[in-house]
mmCIF file of all heavy atoms in Angstrom:
data_model
loop_
_atom_site.group_PDB
_atom_site.id
_atom_site.type_symbol
_atom_site.label_atom_id
_atom_site.label_comp_id
_atom_site.label_asym_id
_atom_site.label_seq_id
_atom_site.Cartn_x
_atom_site.Cartn_y
_atom_site.Cartn_z
ATOM 1 N N TYR A 32 -104.764 151.896 -18.637
ATOM 2 C CA TYR A 32 -105.247 152.987 -19.472
ATOM 3 C C TYR A 32 -106.190 152.330 -20.490
ATOM 4 O O TYR A 32 -105.810 151.361 -21.142
ATOM 5 C CB TYR A 32 -104.112 153.692 -20.210
ATOM 6 C CG TYR A 32 -103.125 154.422 -19.333
ATOM 7 C CD1 TYR A 32 -101.790 154.553 -19.722
ATOM 8 C CD2 TYR A 32 -103.508 154.995 -18.128
ATOM 9 C CE1 TYR A 32 -100.877 155.232 -18.941
ATOM 10 C CE2 TYR A 32 -102.594 155.676 -17.339
ATOM 11 C CZ TYR A 32 -101.282 155.787 -17.742
ATOM 12 O OH TYR A 32 -100.368 156.456 -16.972
ATOM 13 N N TYR A 36 -112.070 153.460 -29.680
ATOM 14 C CA TYR A 36 -111.886 154.039 -31.009
ATOM 15 C C TYR A 36 -113.036 153.588 -31.894
ATOM 16 O O TYR A 36 -113.615 152.517 -31.697
ATOM 17 C CB TYR A 36 -110.573 153.574 -31.636
ATOM 18 C CG TYR A 36 -109.323 154.092 -30.959
ATOM 19 C CD1 TYR A 36 -108.785 153.453 -29.846
ATOM 20 C CD2 TYR A 36 -108.668 155.225 -31.451
ATOM 21 C CE1 TYR A 36 -107.631 153.928 -29.234
ATOM 22 C CE2 TYR A 36 -107.509 155.706 -30.838
ATOM 23 C CZ TYR A 36 -107.013 155.045 -29.739
ATOM 24 O OH TYR A 36 -105.871 155.516 -29.135
ATOM 25 N N LYS A 49 -111.182 158.123 -23.371
ATOM 26 C CA LYS A 49 -110.194 157.341 -22.637
ATOM 27 C C LYS A 49 -110.433 157.452 -21.144
ATOM 28 O O LYS A 49 -110.998 158.444 -20.651
ATOM 29 C CB LYS A 49 -108.777 157.813 -22.971
ATOM 30 C CG LYS A 49 -108.481 159.250 -22.534
ATOM 31 C CD LYS A 49 -107.085 159.666 -22.972
ATOM 32 C CE LYS A 49 -106.813 161.130 -22.600
ATOM 33 N NZ LYS A 49 -105.478 161.583 -23.085
ATOM 34 N N ARG A 94 -103.829 149.756 -22.420
ATOM 35 C CA ARG A 94 -102.391 149.923 -22.309
ATOM 36 C C ARG A 94 -102.034 149.821 -20.840
ATOM 37 O O ARG A 94 -102.671 150.451 -19.990
ATOM 38 C CB ARG A 94 -101.961 151.281 -22.868
ATOM 39 C CG ARG A 94 -100.449 151.461 -22.950
ATOM 40 C CD ARG A 94 -100.086 152.857 -23.422
ATOM 41 N NE ARG A 94 -100.757 153.204 -24.652
ATOM 42 C CZ ARG A 94 -101.313 154.397 -24.885
ATOM 43 N NH1 ARG A 94 -101.276 155.337 -23.984
ATOM 44 N NH2 ARG A 94 -101.895 154.632 -26.037
ATOM 45 N N ASN A 99 -95.415 148.416 -20.210
ATOM 46 C CA ASN A 99 -95.035 148.890 -21.538
ATOM 47 C C ASN A 99 -95.930 150.049 -21.920
ATOM 48 O O ASN A 99 -97.039 149.869 -22.347
ATOM 49 C CB ASN A 99 -95.178 147.758 -22.559
ATOM 50 C CG ASN A 99 -94.609 148.150 -23.905
ATOM 51 O OD1 ASN A 99 -94.698 149.309 -24.310
ATOM 52 N ND2 ASN A 99 -94.014 147.207 -24.594
ATOM 53 N N ALA A 100 -95.397 151.222 -21.774
ATOM 54 C CA ALA A 100 -96.236 152.395 -22.014
ATOM 55 C C ALA A 100 -96.415 152.694 -23.483
ATOM 56 O O ALA A 100 -97.109 153.624 -23.838
ATOM 57 C CB ALA A 100 -95.636 153.593 -21.306
ATOM 58 N N GLY A 106 -109.111 145.071 -28.885
ATOM 59 C CA GLY A 106 -110.066 143.993 -29.067
ATOM 60 C C GLY A 106 -110.328 143.777 -30.547
ATOM 61 O O GLY A 106 -109.810 144.508 -31.399
ATOM 62 N N GLU B 56 -89.615 149.178 -29.492
ATOM 63 C CA GLU B 56 -90.123 147.837 -29.312
ATOM 64 C C GLU B 56 -90.559 147.249 -30.640
ATOM 65 O O GLU B 56 -91.096 147.968 -31.491
ATOM 66 C CB GLU B 56 -91.291 147.798 -28.329
ATOM 67 C CG GLU B 56 -91.768 146.361 -28.040
ATOM 68 C CD GLU B 56 -92.902 146.275 -27.038
ATOM 69 O OE1 GLU B 56 -93.319 147.318 -26.532
ATOM 70 O OE2 GLU B 56 -93.367 145.143 -26.779
ATOM 71 N N GLY B 102 -98.406 158.537 -19.753
ATOM 72 C CA GLY B 102 -98.732 157.480 -20.682
ATOM 73 C C GLY B 102 -100.156 157.466 -21.148
ATOM 74 O O GLY B 102 -100.538 156.629 -21.965
ATOM 75 N N GLY B 103 -100.973 158.372 -20.684
ATOM 76 C CA GLY B 103 -102.389 158.329 -21.010
ATOM 77 C C GLY B 103 -102.766 159.032 -22.283
ATOM 78 O O GLY B 103 -103.787 159.693 -22.377
ATOM 79 N N TYR B 104 -101.951 158.880 -23.324
ATOM 80 C CA TYR B 104 -102.157 159.597 -24.577
ATOM 81 C C TYR B 104 -102.939 158.715 -25.546
ATOM 82 O O TYR B 104 -102.802 157.490 -25.555
ATOM 83 C CB TYR B 104 -100.805 159.966 -25.189
ATOM 84 C CG TYR B 104 -99.859 158.789 -25.238
ATOM 85 C CD1 TYR B 104 -99.878 157.914 -26.324
ATOM 86 C CD2 TYR B 104 -98.994 158.512 -24.197
ATOM 87 C CE1 TYR B 104 -99.063 156.803 -26.357
ATOM 88 C CE2 TYR B 104 -98.170 157.402 -24.214
ATOM 89 C CZ TYR B 104 -98.205 156.554 -25.297
ATOM 90 O OH TYR B 104 -97.397 155.443 -25.322
ATOM 91 N N GLU B 105 -103.727 159.361 -26.390
ATOM 92 C CA GLU B 105 -104.419 158.618 -27.415
ATOM 93 C C GLU B 105 -103.586 158.595 -28.688
ATOM 94 O O GLU B 105 -102.620 159.341 -28.833
ATOM 95 C CB GLU B 105 -105.795 159.235 -27.706
ATOM 96 C CG GLU B 105 -105.733 160.671 -28.209
ATOM 97 C CD GLU B 105 -105.762 161.675 -27.076
ATOM 98 O OE1 GLU B 105 -105.419 161.331 -25.922
ATOM 99 O OE2 GLU B 105 -106.128 162.833 -27.356
ATOM 100 N N GLN B 106 -103.956 157.707 -29.581
ATOM 101 C CA GLN B 106 -103.248 157.571 -30.848
ATOM 102 C C GLN B 106 -104.120 158.102 -31.982
ATOM 103 O O GLN B 106 -105.344 157.957 -31.954
ATOM 104 C CB GLN B 106 -102.891 156.099 -31.096
ATOM 105 C CG GLN B 106 -101.935 155.556 -30.041
ATOM 106 C CD GLN B 106 -101.699 154.065 -30.170
ATOM 107 O OE1 GLN B 106 -102.586 153.319 -30.549
ATOM 108 N NE2 GLN B 106 -100.498 153.634 -29.842
#
Side-chain angles (χ1 to χ4, degrees):
Chain A
Y32 295 150
Y36 292 84
K49 64 183 177 183
R94 187 184 307 137
N99 188 325
Chain B
E56 185 178 359
Y104 49 87
E105 61 271 22
Q106 297 173 326

